[in-house]
């Protein structure tokens, strides 16, 4: 496709030294030249020189005149033009594919999902491709796509470090996922660990905006973890993530599928929650049923939920004590156990942390499209990085 003169082409031709200005406007919204120059450590002359080509190319617009609250001088805030550029985000699970289309500021403009009939690379790529076709049926061309999935706890490398992907969740070994997706979608693709991507989305466009040190812990099929220090994601191998999920909280606790007694996964994954409840109920409930019965006062389900939340509280204490972060965001498919079992979480936290004041714990509503949005943020960040 010839995109000469299109917004994508305009971005590609933006001078590299101007990229930090674009990044700043994308992340922090419209602002005056004075504020931009101060934040980026530039003289006002340099800033004018860097923003001029961006305004001329239509990537940045000047808003209406405002008066500076301090000195009363008129200023025209600069704003990035976000709606002309679209990004695709795809979240793979073992059951469904979720896809979103966002603008440059990660606002979701389209969303869709579809079940996976099997987990072969051919089926997964074809299904993701069909979803992408649906989202772009109006003729929109995304700049790039991010693809995220849960990590394989036994792989030594990060999900995004190699072009050959191992995935425990999909049963893949050495699959060239990035290349296959790029061929099917026809745009550059980036593959990343799903929790790291979610954390990047919170950092740029969510509750962790402006927070330099924070952690994200997710509960669902597995226990996920991402850590930001000094404004950057701490690099972790998939093996590190496996160790995090299987840290022992109580050597006399229940057993996880790997045979550990009392590890975090043995309490707080969806499967563990169901197994614990099933023991008391003498039958297998659904996850939604466990939550409903817990809310209705059923003692088995209440105890199950409190125990899972206790484990999350204990893990939060371990994270806060060892990393000194004070902001922890909880998310994931099973995050409602934390909401319902909040007293259990507080107990687990207080058992390992003397001073719990100043610890900010945010609980996100679960929505897999939110994870797909994290994938779109991966594509946005790649687009705004200096490498492209
Ligand atoms: Zn374990």
């Amino acid at each position: 496709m010839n995109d000469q003169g299109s917004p994508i082409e305009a971005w590609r031709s933006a001078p590299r030294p101007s990229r930090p200005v674009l990044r700043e406007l994308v992340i922090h919204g419209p602002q005056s030249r004075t504020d931009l120059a101060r934040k980026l450590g530039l003289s006002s002359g340099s800033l004018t020189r860097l923003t001029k080509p961006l305004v001329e190319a239509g990537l940045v617009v000047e808003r209406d005149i405002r008066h500076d609250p301090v000195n009363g001088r008129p200023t025209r805030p600069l704003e990035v033009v976000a709606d002309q550029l679209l990004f695709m985000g795809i979240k793979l699970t073992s059951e469904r594919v979720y896809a979103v289309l966002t603008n440059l500021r990660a606002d979701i403009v389209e969303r869709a999902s579809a079940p996976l009939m099997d987990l072969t690379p051919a089926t997964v790529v074809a299904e993701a491709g069909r979803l992408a076709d649906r989202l772009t049926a109006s003729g929109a061309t995304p700049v790039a796509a991010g693809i995220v999935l849960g990590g394989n706890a036994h792989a030594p490398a990060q999900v995004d470090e190699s072009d050959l992907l191992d995935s425990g969740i999909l049963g893949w070994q050495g699959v060239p996922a990035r290349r296959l997706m790029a061929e099917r979608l026809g745009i550059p693709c980036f593959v990343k660990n799903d929790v790291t991507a979610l954390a990047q989305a919170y950092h740029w466009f969510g509750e962790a905006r402006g927070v330099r040190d924070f952690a994200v812990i997710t509960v669902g099929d597995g226990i996920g973890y991402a850590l930001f220090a000094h404004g950057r994601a701490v690099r972790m191998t998939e093996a590190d993530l496996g160790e995090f999920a299987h840290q022992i909280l109580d050597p006399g606790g229940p057993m996880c599928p790997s045979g550990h007694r009392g590890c975090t996964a043995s309490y707080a994954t969806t499967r563990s929650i169901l197994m614990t409840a099933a023991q008391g109920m003498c039958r297998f409930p659904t996850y939604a049923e466990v939550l409903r019965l817990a809310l209705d006062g059923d003692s088995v389900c209440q105890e199950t939920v409190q125990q899972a939340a206790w484990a999350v509280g204990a893990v939060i204490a371990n994270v806060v004590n060892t990393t000194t972060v004070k902001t922890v965001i909880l998310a994931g498919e099973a995050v409602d156990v934390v909401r319902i079992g909040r007293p259990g979480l507080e107990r687990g936290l207080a058992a390992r942390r003397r001073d719990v004041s100043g610890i900010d714990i945010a609980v996100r509503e679960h929505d897999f499209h939110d994870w797909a949005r994290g994938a779109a943020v991966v594509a946005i960040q790649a687009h705004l990085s200096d490498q492209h």
Side-chain angles (χ1 to χ4, degrees), residues 242 245-248 254-266:
H246 294 273
Q247 57 187 295
I248 306 296
M255 202 182 285
C256 86
S258 303
H260 318 129
R261 276 210 172 275
C263 74
T264 310
S266 76

Side-chain angles (χ1 to χ4, degrees), residues 224-293:
Y225 179 47
L227 177 68
F228 268 66
H230 310 298
R232 286 181 168 275
V234 173
R235 292 175 71 78
M236 283 181 241
T237 65
E238 299 301 325
D240 293 330
L241 296 174
E243 292 293 338
F244 181 87
H246 294 273
Q247 57 187 295
I248 306 296
L249 302 176
D250 176 358
M255 202 182 285
C256 86
S258 303
H260 318 129
R261 276 210 172 275
C263 74
T264 310
S266 76
Y267 291 99
T269 64
T270 313
R271 184 179 181 278
S272 303
I273 291 163
L274 293 181
M275 295 291 282
T276 304
Q279 275 181 6
M281 297 167 80
C282 301
R283 67 180 175 84
F284 248 103
T286 64
Y287 176 69
E289 196 181 0
V290 172
L291 292 186
R292 198 184 65 244
L293 288 171

Side-chain angles (χ1 to χ4, degrees), residues 63 78 83 129 146 159 170 215 266 315 334 340 381:
R63 288 179 128 195
L78 295 172
D83 290 329
V159 161
L170 301 177
S266 76
V315 164
I340 297 171
Q381 292 183 330

